[in-house]
Amino acid sequence: MIDDPRSTILLIEDDPATRTFLADNLTADGYTIRVARGLREGVHELRTQFPDLVVLDVGLPDGSGLDLVRAVRRADGITERIDPKTPMLVLSGRANELDRIRGLEQGADDYLTKPFGYGELRCRIRALLRRTQDRPTHGAVRVGALVVDPVSREVRLDDVPIEVSQKEFALLRVLVSDVTRVFTKEELVQAVWGTKSLGSSRTLDSHACRLRQKLSGSEHQYILNVWGVGYRLLDGGAGAA
Ligand code: CA
């Protein structure tokens, strides 16, 4: 089986040697890797990058990885913008059985004890991704004639696939998470580019503009620029003929 190169894996690990080793190998195997050194960074990545799978350490400088597993499982997928079903594989140096059971009870999908072989980790990642991707249209959001599928990263308008860049997809994914809400430019820049700097607000505007053009093929307008504030998604109503 060939690894699905579209899959993004978030790696939360504070040990630089382990982190670099895993990031290098998983990248070589075709995955897109995002790294975080602790819980705070990890949560930020989950909210903004929507990884397909998380590999995380238990002992992190700002808390326990198991707390994050619990928090993700409790997320409602809307206000938190974190998919509660995100597959999570826990890596831990704690070998005893009780710890392993605890990890699985908190909602981890798999548990691997350090030291582990890279080959075994990779097999388990593949198996988890296969299970997730077999879920039928899991998490796809429909807004009028627009369908956004976070798993296949597909955007369809009137059943026609629309090509969008990674950043455009990330932007759209935030906007569809709450169709009634106006997202401020600050929020969107933070969510998509991971920075608070509003110097990126021109970049945001140009991405939003391109996305707006791509999504205005039908008679509806989906991306609405709320002057002086930010952007929101329209439920296909405005601009209707
Ligand atoms: Ca650690």
Side-chain angles (χ1 to χ4, degrees):
M1 188 208 160
I2 296 162
D3 291 359
D4 183 349
R6 290 175 309 181
S7 297
T8 298
I9 298 175
L10 168 60
L11 180 60
I12 311 177
E13 167 66 79
D14 59 322
D15 176 55
T18 311
R19 195 172 60 229
T20 308
F21 170 78
L22 289 180
D24 287 354
N25 278 283
L26 290 168
T27 302
D29 281 325
Y31 296 104
T32 301
I33 300 299
R34 305 285 310 183
V35 293
R37 285 160 296 184
L39 292 184
R40 259 176 63 98
E41 281 181 31
V43 167
H44 174 73
E45 290 290 319
L46 277 160
R47 284 191 180 137
T48 57
Q49 304 297 322
F50 318 108
D52 299 297
L53 182 139
V54 180
V55 173
L56 79 164
D57 188 24
V58 173
L60 293 164
D62 52 354
S64 162
L66 296 184
D67 290 341
L68 182 62
V69 172
R70 225 177 7 247
V72 167
R73 293 300 176 243
R74 276 201 310 252
D76 61 13
I78 304 289
T79 50
E80 275 290 305
R81 300 209 297 268
I82 291 176
D83 181 354
K85 291 189 182 130
T86 308
M88 302 184 92
L89 189 156
V90 172
L91 292 180
S92 171
R94 299 168 196 189
N96 81 58
E97 193 196 3
L98 196 58
D99 277 330
R100 207 159 52 232
I101 291 170
R102 231 169 247 147
L104 295 171
E105 275 176 355
Q106 316 279 15
D109 296 282
D110 206 347
Y111 198 103
L112 205 54
T113 302
K114 293 176 183 174
F116 56 86
Y118 174 72
E120 183 177 7
L121 174 69
R122 188 181 159 200
C123 280
R124 289 180 183 227
I125 285 175
R126 278 165 146 181
L128 272 180
L129 285 172
R130 207 159 46 227
R131 277 199 331 248
T132 328
Q133 280 154 6
D134 285 348
R135 280 209 302 263
T137 59
H138 146 80
V141 182
R142 175 181 280 278
V143 180
L146 175 70
V147 175
V148 180
D149 187 335
V151 174
S152 63
R153 283 165 203 264
E154 227 185 5
V155 178
R156 301 177 79 87
L157 185 60
D158 290 322
D159 272 335
V160 179
I162 307 286
E163 286 283 330
V164 295
S165 73
Q166 221 180 348
K167 290 295 183 203
E168 287 164 4
F169 185 85
L171 177 60
L172 187 56
R173 172 96 200 244
V174 176
L175 293 173
V176 298
S177 72
D178 191 345
V179 293
T180 60
R181 193 173 139 206
V182 177
F183 289 89
T184 66
K185 289 191 178 186
E186 288 88 342
E187 277 181 297
L188 292 168
V189 166
Q190 171 76 39
V192 177
W193 285 272
T195 163
K196 284 196 170 67
S197 151
L198 268 180
S200 320
S201 121
R202 287 176 76 113
T203 316
L204 167 67
D205 288 334
S206 66
H207 278 77
C209 179
R210 271 202 302 277
L211 196 54
R212 188 186 162 95
Q213 281 162 7
K214 289 179 181 181
L215 298 184
S216 54
S218 68
E219 58 206 21
H220 300 308
Q221 192 64 256
Y222 283 90
I223 309 285
L224 181 70
N225 186 351
V226 182
W227 290 106
V229 184
Y231 293 91
R232 63 164 290 191
L233 205 69
L234 277 179
D235 199 351

